[in-house]
Structure formats: structure tokens, C-alpha cells
Amino acid sequence: MTDIRTASGRYGTALDRLRDRWRVHGLAWRDGADATASAQAPGHSSADRSVTFRQIAGQVLMNSHADDKAAVLDAMGLTLSDLFDNPAGTTYVYRDGRTVFRSYDDRGRKRFSQGGNTKGRDLFRAEHLDDHRTGVPVYIVEGEKDVLALESLGAVAVSPAMGAGKAKLFDWSPLTGHTVVIVADDDEPGRKHALQVYEILEPIATGVAIVQAATGKDAADHVAAGHSLDEFVPVDVGGKAGRRLRVTRGSDVKLQRVRWVMEDWIPAGSLTLLAGREGLGKSTIAAALCAQITRGTLEGELYGTPRNVLYVHSEDSREFTVAPRLKAAGADMDRVLFVDVETAHTDAGTLVLPLDNLALERIIAKEQVAFVVLDAATSSMASELSGRDDRAVRQYLEPLAQLAARQGCVVFGLCHFGKRDGADTGKLILGSIAWSQVARSVLSIAQDSDSGRLVVTNTKANLAPRVRSMEGEVVSTTVATGDGDTEVGVLRWLGETSRDARDLLIGPDEDVEERDEIATVIRSYLIECGGSAPAADVLKVTRSAGLVDNAVKKARKRSGVRTERRGYGKGGAWVWTIDSGIGAIGSHSREIEP
């Protein structure tokens, strides 16, 4: 745990010391709530309360509304060092072992020194991000005192060590998916630092705003002056305004028609998903579309204009499977791009989104990419984001949808259906219902068990004027490689059909299959949690996957999961636990919660 080590002064805390000195001088002092106080400034009337204080961990924040702070302390026989509980200074300890010591010299100048793990990359208070709920702002400030100041208001805040200009030396990845408020110090170095932090976080955070203190130079001054979190002032730093509200009149909106890369199936500048069960040929279909785009033969907006495609893959080998599949489909391989991540440890790392969104967009713009395939869509999703959680899926997909709209390209993600049957393909996609909700179009693939043919239907088609289905089949062809010929599957379209993939996805016993699928979701989550988890947490996960509570509780009874109440009174809670003596699908219940 990160801690702040201080040695108490003669009066206990700095606030005690200040209160005592004010009273010795016969000046008015009023204690407030939450370790705050206001006091009469020297030379002012007894009604004056222009000096304010707030005790935080190890020190006091002081603001003088009318006079210079150092001058006020000097009149009281004190110095800036007396604002620390230990006038010798305060030591801040980082999670990775870095220690930072801050104090004032005899002339009131700040002193700074470091010890411990001085090459550590953790932010101060980074550990507070581990369980911080996304959507609730995280404040980025310039120093440890500012962090503690905002913590005294109930906020979560972090800061890099060593002040302005060193942001690139630290690990910002724990802020992936969070909403971020950067508090810029009101000076030129502070604004440059805020801009540097903005450029690091904008690609990975859900949203970034830049603000300044309503009073004073920094967050600590803002809090010392009695301002709240809501009173920070939005600012424009280096052309980066962060988050602001802008009004657009309907009469100023330029109406546009929907452009189709593939008629009624794939809108231009969109996130589109192709979903189906394992082994039906989703990757083969993606390869066929890529091939047509590189040749300019896909009927739609790109017809007659060969364009580049970017293929991001993880489940198949590039050399043995992906490239041969594209070549077999007839792709212009000069227009097919693959991407790897280079780090200090490897030159073949995998893409992690949204962390690599900015770098990905730069490649798309530079290479004029028209079509990006994510095979599979979950393969590039940051490990800290759960595909079962609605909010996490949106944090992954919404930036991709915005990227596609900005660049006018298509992001084409391949998704897997679960084992259960049903006509609601949004619920069939493994994980949260948000997968289908965020996408502009969802193409679903199913197989006719009699003919073996594939049926592809736009099962989410909000922009399309009609439901469109096509039949196809995967056939084998030979591709020459440097090691000899190899057999590869290619897609052969057979034309439009009146059949709907959803008709083929409805199974004979949907209720039983659904219960078994729910049981798999429950047990998978409990296994991740070590075999046991609060019932409320389990239900949160299943709701995010689009499952109904009653169906989940019924499936629990069949899945070898027992429930029991732990604790008493208001502190008690229901807990679900895998019964080690029961198989994956069984019936056991020690106790039924109300």
C-alpha cells in the first residue's frame, strides 16, 4: 500500500500548530467541518476571515485571499515549513517503491529529493485505480500534494513524479477506459505538461477534459480556497479543449445519404460485425471481401477503385493460413497490410485496443486503408476489459466506431455465437449485448445442415432499406507456396436467397440449450473469481450478457452452483459457489435465496 510517512510536530498536526499561533496573537479563528478552518488575517478587522485552511494527510493547505501567504505566516512567526505536520518535510511513498521527499528551505524555496526505486514507472496513488469504477472521473495533477488535496474532497487522483515535462517516463495504461480530467497548473510549464498528458491519454481514455483551478495556480490552491470539484474551469491548452458542449442547430446539419461498401450489408465509415458459430467460415468470408476490395470488384461505393485493406489476426498463422487464404480468394497482396507491435522485448507483439487506437488510426490514414478486419474482434481487446461487461465492450467498440467514421473506412469484426439456439442474434453473440448494439450493421452466418450451404443475413440492419440474404459455400482450391502447393478454402457466392440465417439458428429445444449456455457463463465467471463470488456480482455479469435474472437463477440450480448467506444483518450477503462435487450440469441447492 502507498503511504505518507510524517513525524508529528510538537503540536500534533500542522493545523493544531496554526490554530495555537493565531490564538496567541489574539486573532480570530473558526474551525469548520472536515478538518477545515478560516481565520482573521493580520492587520485586518476582527470580522475578517480571508485566510482558509484544510488539513490533509501530513500537511495543511492554506489560502490567503487578501495577502501573500508567506507574508501572513511571517507575521505570525511561522514559515511555509510550518504547513507540514513535521516542519522538516514530508515523504511520499509510491506503490513501486519510489520515495519523494518535499520540504522548504529557510528562504521558503521548495526542496525536492528522491530515493528508493527512482526508476519506477508507477503514478502516485496508482493503486487507487485498481478498483475505481469507470465513468467516474480520475483527476490528473502535477504533484503529490495536489493528489492529496483532491482526495480530501473524495476524488480519485494520480500524478507522475518529478513535476512537469516528465509524463512520458511513467505508465499510464491503468487509465485505459477511464474518464480523465487533467488539472493544468496555471503557468507555461504546467500547460505544456497538461498537453503532453492529454496526447498520451486521449487514445486510451474514454474521455479527456483539461481544466484549471478557479483560484490560484494548481489543484491544491483550488481546494485551499474552498472550491469544489465542480468549480474547476475548462480551458483550451494547445488547441486541445478536452470535453466541451457545443450546440448545433438542425438547420446547420448537412444531410447525407448512406454509402454502402456492400449494398445493404456494410455501410461506409462504420463498425460492422460478422457473427456465427465456430468453423463456419467467417474468416473465409472476410478474406473474400478483402480480395474484392483490393481488386475494386466489390459492388458498392468502392467498385472500380482498388483499395488497401488491413488484416489484424490472432487465431490463425499469417504464413500458413491467413495470407494463403487471401491469395486464394484473389486478393492483390500488395494491397493487403498486416500490423505488429514493436516493443523493447519483441517485434511481433499484438495490437491492444484502445491503447493502440491512435497508432492504428495513423496507419489507416497514411496507407489509405478502406477495410480493417479484426479476426477475431475480441483478440485485440485490452485484457482489463471484459467482453461480458456492457460498459467495457462499449469502451472498446465505441472508439473504433468513431475511428471508422473519421477515416471513412470500415472496421469489420468477426464474432462468435455461443452454443445455444435462438433467433435473437444480438443475444447469441458471446458476451455482452453491447457487441450488437454498438455496431451499425451485424451480419449473421448460419449453415443449412442438409445442403451444407451458408446463409448470410443482415440481422441488424438499421440503415438498410431491406433484409438481404445471400447463399454461399466454401470450396477447396490450391495455392502455390514457397514450400509447395497447399489446399485452402475459398468462398463461392451462389446469389441472393429468400432464406434468413435466423431461421437456421432456431434450434429444436431452445430452452434447454439456453439454460446450459447460461450455466456456462455462470461457472466461467465463478472460476475466474476462484470458485466463489457475491450473487450481486454474478447477476451483474449475466445482465451485461443480456440474460434475465429468473433464467439465470433457474440455470444456477442445474449448474452445480450452491448459494448461501454469509454474515448477519445488513452486513450479510448472498454468495454463489461452485460445488466441487457436482458436474458442469447438475442439480444441487443447499439453500434458495428469497
Side-chain angles (χ1 to χ4, degrees):
M1 290 291 292
T2 299
D3 195 6
I4 304 98
R5 297 194 300 267
T6 61
S8 297
R10 185 162 56 93
Y11 294 93
T13 68
L15 191 63
D16 294 331
R17 182 186 307 123
L18 293 164
R19 181 190 300 109
D20 181 82
R21 188 58 60 92
W22 246 258
R23 288 174 175 170
V24 165
H25 282 75
L27 297 176
W29 177 283
R30 177 184 299 162
D31 286 309
D34 300 323
T36 61
S38 60
Q40 174 187 357
H44 290 249
S45 72
S46 59
D48 174 78
R49 298 293 184 275
S50 62
V51 185
T52 57
F53 308 92
R54 176 181 284 270
Q55 176 79 49
I56 61 175
Q59 60 192 292
V60 161
L61 305 177
M62 174 182 172
N63 182 73
S64 177
H65 297 267
D67 304 297
D68 177 73
K69 178 168 63 177
V72 171
L73 290 171
D74 183 63
M76 305 302 293
L78 301 170
T79 68
L80 291 170
S81 296
D82 288 298
L83 296 178
F84 291 119
D85 287 359
N86 176 6
T90 295
T91 300
Y92 305 98
V93 181
Y94 285 59
R95 179 174 62 179
D96 56 16
R98 180 195 296 267
T99 60
V100 174
F101 179 75
R102 297 191 182 274
S103 62
Y104 291 96
D105 64 16
D106 294 339
R107 298 183 180 181
R109 295 175 299 191
K110 292 181 181 179
R111 295 191 301 180
F112 164 85
S113 63
Q114 293 191 85
N117 180 21
T118 57
K119 294 183 179 181
R121 300 186 67 241
D122 270 352
L123 302 169
F124 183 60
R125 297 299 213 200
E127 65 275 13
H128 288 185
L129 298 175
D130 292 345
D131 300 315
H132 184 60
R133 182 162 53 91
T134 55
V136 178
V138 177
Y139 291 82
I140 313 298
V141 292
E142 198 174 303
E144 299 90 355
K145 182 174 73 172
D146 297 308
V147 170
L148 300 181
L150 294 184
E151 285 183 353
S152 73
L153 298 183
V156 168
V158 293
S159 170
M162 301 189 291
K166 305 295 193 305
K168 293 182 179 179
L169 300 178
F170 295 89
D171 178 15
W172 297 90
S173 62
L175 287 156
T176 299
H178 284 284
T179 301
V180 174
V181 178
I182 301 170
V183 184
D185 278 14
D186 191 14
D187 56 23
E188 190 57 28
R191 284 184 282 272
K192 288 182 178 179
H193 177 73
L195 181 58
Q196 186 181 60
V197 174
Y198 178 94
E199 291 174 345
I200 293 171
L201 293 180
E202 197 275 335
I204 66 173
T206 298
V208 184
I210 303 177
V211 301
Q212 284 184 349
T215 299
K217 174 187 174 183
D218 54 25
D221 289 342
H222 179 91
V223 174
H227 294 293
S228 67
L229 297 173
D230 296 334
E231 293 178 291
F232 280 115
V233 180
V235 293
D236 188 325
V237 176
K240 308 294 184 182
R243 298 173 65 84
R244 291 179 179 236
L245 300 183
R246 183 182 66 194
V247 174
T248 300
R249 296 188 181 280
S251 56
D252 294 330
V253 176
K254 183 179 179 180
L255 305 183
Q256 297 182 358
R257 65 178 178 86
V258 178
R259 297 179 298 113
W260 295 98
V261 170
M262 189 174 186
E263 184 182 356
D264 299 326
W265 273 16
I266 306 176
S270 75
L271 170 67
T272 295
L273 301 180
L274 174 64
R277 294 204 169 92
E278 195 78 30
L280 286 190
K282 295 185 292 295
S283 299
T284 304
I285 292 174
L289 295 173
C290 287
Q292 289 181 280
I293 290 169
T294 64
R295 297 290 182 184
T297 58
L298 185 64
E299 293 188 5
E301 290 288 329
L302 303 180
Y303 184 78
T305 307
R307 296 291 299 275
N308 291 344
V309 300
L310 177 64
Y311 206 105
V312 180
H313 62 93
S314 65
E315 297 181 350
D316 293 315
S317 164
R318 181 177 305 170
E319 294 79 5
F320 291 101
T321 306
V322 180
R325 185 184 286 146
L326 287 161
K327 186 175 180 180
D332 178 351
M333 298 303 287
D334 285 335
R335 289 192 172 276
V336 175
L337 309 177
F338 299 103
V339 62
D340 297 303
V341 176
E342 294 182 345
T343 70
H345 307 289
T346 180
D347 59 359
T350 58
L351 204 66
V352 176
L353 304 177
L355 178 64
D356 293 323
N357 273 10
L358 181 59
L360 176 63
E361 184 164 3
R362 286 171 178 165
I363 289 177
I364 291 170
K366 179 181 178 181
E367 302 292 343
Q368 298 183 324
V369 172
F371 200 74
V372 180
V373 176
L374 300 180
D375 184 4
T378 56
S379 62
S380 299
M381 188 176 186
S383 60
E384 61 266 27
L385 300 179
S386 169
R388 294 189 296 266
D389 182 78
D390 183 89
R391 186 188 296 272
V393 171
R394 289 181 178 277
Q395 289 169 358
Y396 171 54
L397 291 183
E398 288 176 352
L400 285 174
Q402 294 161 7
L403 181 157
R406 286 193 300 269
Q407 296 300 326
C409 67
V410 172
V411 175
F412 194 72
L414 310 190
C415 295
H416 297 311
F417 283 154
K419 294 180 180 179
R420 64 175 177 169
D421 298 321
D424 188 340
T425 56
K427 292 183 179 179
L428 292 183
I429 295 176
L430 283 176
S432 167
I433 191 70
W435 287 101
S436 63
Q437 291 175 335
V438 176
R440 300 289 293 276
S441 177
V442 176
L443 308 178
S444 296
I445 178 174
Q447 187 174 44
D448 184 331
S449 59
D450 294 328
S451 66
R453 291 180 175 180
L454 303 177
V455 177
V456 183
T457 303
N458 53 343
T459 53
K460 177 182 178 180
N462 293 354
L463 299 178
R466 65 182 177 122
V467 173
R468 181 189 184 194
S469 294
M470 290 186 69
E471 281 193 6
E473 60 183 356
V474 176
V475 298
S476 181
T477 190
T478 301
V479 173
T481 75
D483 298 325
D485 292 346
T486 185
E487 293 295 312
V488 180
V490 295
L491 177 73
R492 183 170 68 185
W493 288 117
L494 301 174
E496 293 200 18
T497 178
S498 60
R499 306 188 69 183
D500 192 307
R502 285 168 289 199
D503 295 334
L504 300 174
L505 291 168
I506 299 176
D509 190 358
E510 185 174 348
D511 289 341
V512 172
E513 291 289 334
E514 180 177 4
R515 285 197 298 270
D516 290 351
E517 183 69 15
I518 295 172
T520 300
V521 172
I522 295 170
R523 290 179 64 86
S524 296
Y525 178 73
L526 292 176
I527 290 170
E528 290 179 6
C529 296
S532 180
D537 291 349
V538 180
L539 292 174
K540 181 179 178 181
V541 169
T542 55
R543 289 169 190 153
S544 296
L547 304 176
V548 179
D549 285 1
N550 285 340
V552 171
K553 292 178 181 179
K554 289 179 181 178
R556 177 192 61 73
K557 301 172 187 177
R558 295 170 44 85
S559 61
V561 173
R562 71 175 185 271
T563 179
E564 57 185 353
R565 186 174 180 82
R566 296 182 183 174
Y568 302 94
K570 294 182 179 180
W574 289 97
V575 175
W576 288 13
T577 303
I578 294 177
D579 191 333
S580 58
I582 300 297
I585 305 297
S587 63
H588 175 77
S589 178
R590 175 177 299 179
E591 183 179 1
I592 306 299
E593 72 256 48

